[in-house]
Amino acid sequence: MKYELPEEISKKEYDLLHISVRDLVEFVLRSGDIDDRISSGVTTKAMQEGSRIHRMLQKKGGGTYHAEVPLKITIDCDDYILGIEGRADGLIYEGEEITERSTVCVDEIKGVYMDLDLLAEPQLLHLAQAKCYAAILCQKHGLSAIDVQITYCNMDTEEVRRFRDTYSSAELSDWFYDVIGKYRRWSDFQFYFRITRQNSIAALEFPFPYRPGQKDLAAGIYRSIHRNKLIFIQAPTGSGKTISAIFPAVKAVGENEAERIFYLTAKTVTRTVARDTFQILEDRGYRGKTVVITAKDKMCPLEERKCNPVDCPYAKGHFDRINDAVYDILQSRDIFDAPDILAFAKERMVCPFEFNLDISSWCDNIICDYNYVFDPNVYLKRFFSEGISCEGIFLIDEAHNLVERGREMYSETLVKEEFLEMKKPFKVYQGGIVRNLDKCNKKLLEWKRQTEGEYLMVKDISSFLLQLNNLSGALERFFEKKIELDDMDRIREFYFKIKNFLNLSDGMDHRYCTYCDFDEEGRFCLHLYCMDPSYLLQQRLDRGNGAVFFSATFLPVNYYKKLLCTDPDPYAMYASSVFDRSHRGLFIGRDVTSRYKNRTTEQYDNIASYIYEVTSKKTGNYMVFFPSYLFLNRVAEAYENKYNDHGRLLLQSSGMKEAERESFLGAFINESPDTLIGFCVLGGVFSEGIDLKNDRLIGAIIVGTGLPQISNRRKILSDHFDEEERNGFLYAYLYPGMNKVMQAAGRVIRTVEDYGIIVLLDERFLYTDYKSTFPREWQDHSVETLDTIGAAVENFWENVKK
């Protein structure tokens, strides 16, 4: 089918859809296999080198060479206009402007590392991009024919190879219309389903009776989105924060404030809650496409993930089948999660994970981990590539986790021993890799000899970065040749670490440091460490139309404001708790501590006695949270020696597998006939993100203030924030520790019907700096000793019975 290409169309008369020339051809014309054996992505340095090559060739083009020419065309699709636009690297023609008699050549420049003698013809997508520009020029200027040139330049040698052909206007027009025709079903879907979505949102109402303060919370979130602002929400459990965030965000989309919602969270359970919330809205008439993005390893149907056409039948021919598979599943339902996607992918023989990502391109609501938005290596390039506005609202759940996750995403570590190990597989390859490995290793050895204390701060790594960049380039050339050596998986992993280190170093500023130390295995490490991720997180937030950070443990909120964004004046709200305080007893034991210097047999015995005095007053399920596995085991031993006849102990162990974790939680049943006491590690898998409602958990005892163990990184963080005049101890130790405490305490009261107790065992909880982090609901705590705690707990339960 052909569509008219009007020269000028009044945009006021039509709704507009836009797509770039590059996105159009890469989507419609993609074909072939997934193959991770071939290097994917380039370093920032390589991108800069590619830009230099472009400028060099454009300058050499002379007076008839016109560089970086914007081109666009609009296509009438009945009810809407499809706008296609891009920027040609170069147009070659005589004179000031193009006329119908001009001889014109479209030049598309590609910088590569490969041997140009291996190129027999231009790559399909490179040629297609240039042909689109040529078709647009013929249409615009009435040309009867035009030349298309693909220019390849080796970025190491600056050797150039060109492929040039002449095409008639009619030939290009037929080809271009065919590409547009293949895309038309997608633009139709996008346009007409958007109308369906907007109409459904207009009629949508809040699905529940508002809890106290919930309407104000939802209204505040809507106002912040309307003003394109960031807002931080301290929302206690039970305040209905998930629906209170999602509903106003959906309404904002209905008012054209944004096009999509990104619901970001670090936990599987909270992703499930978000998915169920969108289902509730759908049950009440909402029409929007919602997808849950699941990690690659969980989506892979193979026993061992190998993403290449030799080892994976789903990878072979994946791109030949993927577009039809995506289109068909979009027509079949509105909510897409892992089981549905896996089943459909197996039926259509496409990679389930890539299928999952491709579905997200056409969805209105994307539920995923933080890294799909913020991580520079994993982010969804279809939404967050340079120059693209994602037109999205960010709803960031459990956002207290994003501080440490941000540091991890924007940091990298290189290990000296790995540079030596990499020499072995490359002994048979003559491509400069071994030589560059030796140069990098020599610099690391120099720093190793200088590291006399626990760590060495390195002020200048510029010479090392130059050597590392040379090594990266040599590895790129190796991958281009598609040579297979032993340990290819390790080689690729090593290359990606180097690439990440180089890319991150490009954005280094005072928020970063570089230091060397030895890991637990005695290996020498060079760390590029992001101490403050706020600036980099803000760069991604700026791509959206507002962000909502929310957590049940967001105190002190100014700490999170400073580390999660650079906005000078973000909004903040404190959501009211709906729980009756009389349902919860809060006690602080002032005569014990978990300080390292006080960890004696007597102290372990006292803590065991506290646990007995608390748990013996009411039969039920309890959790006790400890600062470490060693501490946990010492108290468990003391408890079993003294109180072996009371309660059944269940101990968390290091490295528990998913089945073991499920079995552990499965023991916490309602109306338990006997007392069960789970010994857990503070900050571990059972202290956050679990939901034991009603009688499944009636008490939490928290031993210690959760302060992170002293380490090189914590010392470096403390020093950094002291220099920034922000109090290094609070930022590096106290605030992260107290967040763990509040998360663990939050496991007890999960619904308005729940009753339970929270016991904080450490004298430091009474210190001003620690108490300043308490939520307002904790102001009614009582201070106890080992002699009084039993009576206090017993009195609480007796009052509950009344």
Side-chain angles (χ1 to χ4, degrees):
M1 180 182 294
K2 292 189 178 182
Y3 303 94
E4 293 299 322
L5 298 174
E7 191 71 25
E8 292 291 334
I9 294 177
S10 172
K11 293 184 180 181
K12 295 180 181 177
E13 298 176 13
Y14 295 84
D15 282 17
L16 287 166
L17 296 180
H18 294 276
I19 187 169
S20 71
V21 166
R22 180 171 180 173
D23 288 345
L24 176 67
V25 299
E26 287 185 352
F27 177 70
V28 172
L29 301 179
R30 56 183 175 170
S31 63
D33 311 323
I34 295 174
D35 195 345
D36 70 354
R37 297 172 302 176
I38 303 170
S39 171
S40 60
V42 294
T43 65
T44 301
K45 297 284 191 302
M47 292 172 64
Q48 293 170 344
E49 184 64 10
S51 297
R52 183 190 70 80
I53 290 293
H54 272 65
R55 292 191 298 271
M56 177 192 75
L57 293 174
Q58 288 164 344
K59 188 175 181 180
K60 287 182 177 180
T64 61
Y65 196 99
H66 306 266
E68 303 298 330
V69 180
L71 297 169
K72 62 182 178 180
I73 197 164
T74 54
I75 298 172
D76 185 359
C77 296
D78 300 326
D79 293 326
Y80 63 92
I81 290 293
L82 178 61
I84 302 172
E85 55 191 47
R87 185 180 295 271
D89 291 333
L91 299 183
I92 306 168
Y93 60 89
E94 301 278 355
E96 294 295 322
E97 59 184 33
I98 298 174
T99 70
E100 62 183 18
R101 292 185 296 274
S102 298
T103 299
V104 181
C105 178
V106 175
D107 188 31
E108 183 70 17
I109 300 170
K110 299 297 178 185
V112 297
Y113 282 115
M114 68 183 299
D115 184 349
L116 297 186
D117 290 336
L118 300 177
L119 273 175
E121 59 185 8
Q123 293 184 20
L124 172 65
L125 296 182
H126 299 163
L127 180 60
Q129 193 172 341
K131 286 172 69 175
C132 284
Y133 296 137
I136 293 171
L137 285 165
C138 287
Q139 171 69 31
K140 183 175 181 180
H141 298 287
L143 302 175
S144 60
I146 191 170
D147 285 2
V148 172
Q149 176 174 280
I150 311 299
T151 301
Y152 290 101
C153 181
N154 185 293
M155 292 192 288
D156 281 327
T157 65
E158 297 186 2
E159 176 191 357
V160 174
R161 185 168 185 188
R162 293 182 172 91
F163 298 89
R164 182 165 177 162
D165 284 298
T166 302
Y167 296 88
S168 70
S169 176
E171 180 183 6
L172 285 171
S173 181
D174 287 343
W175 176 85
F176 189 47
Y177 288 151
D178 183 62
V179 172
I180 295 167
K182 290 174 180 175
Y183 186 70
R184 179 67 184 269
R185 64 170 173 166
W186 297 95
S187 59
D188 280 355
F189 163 75
Q190 187 177 6
F191 177 75
Y192 293 114
F193 188 80
R194 187 181 188 278
I195 293 173
T196 300
R197 182 194 72 191
Q198 298 303 82
N199 288 340
S200 75
I201 294 173
L204 191 64
E205 295 183 356
F206 196 78
F208 309 112
Y210 283 106
R211 298 175 183 177
Q214 192 175 25
K215 191 170 185 178
D216 291 337
L217 177 60
I221 290 172
Y222 181 86
R223 281 194 298 271
S224 72
I225 294 169
H226 176 68
R227 296 167 185 170
N228 197 8
K229 291 287 291 183
L230 310 183
I231 185 168
F232 288 76
I233 308 286
Q234 161 71 15
T237 300
S239 57
K241 66 181 187 303
T242 306
I243 187 63
S244 298
I246 288 176
F247 181 76
V250 168
K251 279 293 191 181
V253 169
E255 295 293 328
N256 299 313
E257 302 283 359
E259 276 302 312
R260 59 188 56 85
I261 297 166
F262 293 90
Y263 193 101
L264 313 177
T265 178
K267 302 287 184 181
T268 301
V269 65
T270 42
R271 287 197 286 276
T272 302
V273 171
R275 183 248 184 247
D276 291 346
T277 302
F278 280 110
Q279 181 68 62
I280 290 169
L281 295 181
E282 182 179 316
D283 293 343
R284 284 156 177 79
Y286 170 62
R287 292 296 309 280
K289 301 293 182 183
T290 301
V291 64
V292 181
I293 297 181
T294 305
K296 181 182 286 190
D297 284 338
K298 291 185 178 180
M299 293 297 284
C300 183
L302 304 184
E303 289 187 11
E304 182 181 0
R305 177 163 60 85
K306 287 184 177 293
C307 304
N308 66 74
V310 175
D311 298 301
C312 177
Y314 301 94
K316 186 172 180 60
H318 165 88
F319 292 114
D320 300 328
R321 301 181 291 271
I322 186 61
N323 283 4
D324 286 340
V326 172
Y327 187 83
D328 290 345
I329 198 172
L330 287 171
Q331 311 311 309
S332 70
R333 68 205 75 187
D334 284 352
I335 295 182
F336 314 95
D337 50 19
D340 294 333
I341 293 170
L342 273 167
F344 210 97
K346 288 180 179 179
E347 179 185 331
R348 296 302 187 90
M349 289 302 293
V350 293
C351 168
F353 179 69
E354 292 298 329
F355 186 40
N356 197 171
L357 297 184
D358 275 337
I359 292 168
S360 75
S361 297
W362 304 95
C363 283
D364 308 291
N365 311 300
I366 300 163
I367 303 169
C368 59
D369 189 88
Y370 305 141
N371 59 5
Y372 292 105
V373 171
F374 296 110
D375 192 309
N377 298 304
V378 185
Y379 72 89
L380 298 169
K381 294 178 176 59
R382 59 207 74 202
F383 296 116
F384 301 109
S385 293
E386 193 65 36
I388 294 176
S389 171
C390 74
E391 298 184 277
I393 298 164
F394 301 119
L395 304 181
I396 307 169
D397 198 357
E398 304 293 349
H400 60 274
N401 289 305
L402 190 54
V403 175
E404 282 304 321
R405 284 288 301 276
R407 286 179 177 138
E408 292 171 10
M409 287 187 285
Y410 301 125
S411 300
E412 186 56 272
T413 295
L414 298 179
V415 179
K416 177 186 177 300
E417 285 73 7
E418 291 180 357
F419 285 80
L420 293 174
E421 291 166 6
M422 277 297 109
K423 291 172 64 176
K424 296 176 184 176
F426 284 109
K427 284 183 178 179
V428 297
Y429 172 76
Q430 300 298 319
I433 291 177
V434 172
R435 181 178 68 254
N436 284 297
L437 285 167
D438 282 335
K439 288 182 179 180
C440 292
N441 180 65
K442 183 178 179 182
K443 188 64 182 178
L444 290 167
L445 180 60
E446 180 183 326
W447 285 325
K448 181 179 180 180
R449 289 168 175 165
Q450 295 173 19
T451 306
E452 297 178 351
E454 293 178 331
Y455 60 92
L456 172 73
M457 300 299 294
V458 181
K459 299 298 183 183
D460 182 10
I461 62 169
S462 56
S463 61
F464 178 74
L465 290 177
L466 180 61
Q467 294 162 354
L468 200 64
N469 193 53
N470 291 337
L471 174 59
S472 175
L475 286 167
E476 278 282 348
R477 291 188 293 275
F478 164 75
F479 289 127
E480 289 281 2
K481 294 177 181 178
K482 301 180 182 179
I483 298 171
E484 287 291 312
L485 299 177
D486 293 336
D487 294 325
M488 284 303 297
D489 287 342
R490 284 181 57 232
I491 291 171
R492 274 187 285 271
E493 183 180 348
F494 178 73
Y495 164 71
F496 287 131
K497 287 180 69 174
I498 288 174
K499 184 180 78 168
N500 192 42
F501 195 99
L502 288 167
N503 286 341
L504 293 173
S505 70
D506 196 59
M508 271 199 324
D509 59 11
H510 67 282
R511 302 173 187 86
Y512 270 92
C513 72
T514 48
Y515 71 98
C516 298
D517 67 2
F518 295 89
D519 66 14
E520 294 178 352
E521 299 174 18
R523 302 182 306 170
F524 185 71
C525 303
L526 171 65
H527 305 278
L528 179 61
Y529 183 44
C530 178
M531 299 173 288
D532 178 355
S534 58
Y535 175 70
L536 294 168
L537 294 172
Q538 184 70 52
Q539 286 184 328
R540 194 50 48 84
L541 294 171
D542 288 341
R543 299 286 187 89
N545 298 39
V548 182
F549 297 88
F550 50 102
S551 170
T553 56
F554 237 173
L555 297 173
V557 71
N558 284 335
Y559 163 75
Y560 293 100
K561 284 182 179 180
K562 291 182 182 298
L563 291 183
L564 294 179
C565 71
T566 58
D567 188 324
D569 187 31
Y571 297 166
M573 288 185 71
Y574 196 116
S576 301
S577 173
V578 299
F579 296 147
D580 186 338
R581 293 190 188 184
S582 67
H583 286 207
R584 187 261 301 135
L586 177 61
F587 311 96
I588 299 177
R590 65 177 174 82
D591 55 346
V592 287
T593 183
S594 66
R595 291 178 189 271
Y596 191 80
K597 64 181 181 181
N598 296 105
R599 294 183 183 181
T600 61
T601 301
E602 181 183 3
Q603 198 69 251
Y604 297 137
D605 285 345
N606 287 341
I607 292 170
S609 297
Y610 256 106
I611 294 169
Y612 171 77
E613 290 295 330
V614 170
T615 61
S616 62
K617 305 310 175 188
K618 181 176 173 61
T619 299
N621 299 326
Y622 299 83
M623 280 188 174
V624 188
F625 296 94
F626 296 92
S628 68
Y629 285 105
L630 179 60
F631 201 120
L632 180 157
N633 290 322
R634 292 286 172 81
V635 175
E637 183 180 345
Y639 187 91
E640 289 176 332
N641 287 337
K642 296 180 69 174
Y643 308 107
N644 191 39
D645 58 343
H646 171 70
R648 177 166 70 96
L649 295 192
L650 194 61
L651 275 58
Q652 178 184 354
S653 59
S654 178
M656 292 176 78
K657 296 179 180 178
E658 187 169 350
E660 293 172 311
R661 296 197 297 267
E662 290 176 358
S663 175
F664 186 96
L665 291 176
F668 290 79
I669 60 174
N670 279 316
E671 301 179 1
S672 176
D674 302 303
T675 292
L676 173 68
I677 309 171
F679 277 30
C680 308
V681 172
L682 193 60
V685 293
F686 301 122
S687 66
E688 182 175 350
I690 63 169
D691 200 21
L692 300 176
K693 297 176 182 177
N694 307 121
D695 290 337
R696 292 191 66 191
L697 187 68
I698 64 170
I701 302 170
I702 300 165
V703 180
T705 56
L707 302 189
Q709 291 185 347
I710 294 174
S711 65
N712 292 341
R713 287 206 166 175
R714 288 292 147 184
K715 291 176 185 176
I716 289 167
L717 278 178
S718 182
D719 290 344
H720 169 75
F721 288 115
D722 277 339
E723 291 172 6
E724 297 270 316
E725 298 183 351
R726 296 199 215 177
N727 192 321
F729 174 73
L730 298 184
Y731 271 62
Y733 294 98
L734 193 148
Y735 294 155
M738 286 302 295
N739 189 276
K740 295 178 187 177
V741 169
M742 288 184 281
Q743 280 292 325
R747 299 314 96 206
V748 179
I749 304 294
R750 308 299 297 174
T751 73
V752 292
E753 293 85 17
D754 288 0
Y755 293 84
I757 57 172
I758 300 167
V759 182
L760 309 178
L761 296 183
D762 200 300
E763 63 184 9
R764 288 172 289 179
F765 286 117
L766 297 173
Y767 294 1
T768 300
D769 283 340
Y770 291 84
K771 289 182 69 175
S772 69
T773 67
F774 283 12
R776 62 177 66 157
E777 296 82 20
W778 282 18
Q779 301 310 312
D780 60 345
H781 62 268
S782 67
V783 180
E784 308 295 339
T785 65
L786 182 55
D787 293 333
T788 65
I789 187 66
V793 170
E794 189 171 35
N795 182 59
F796 168 79
W797 288 119
E798 286 178 353
N799 287 332
V800 165
K801 293 175 184 177
K802 296 177 183 177

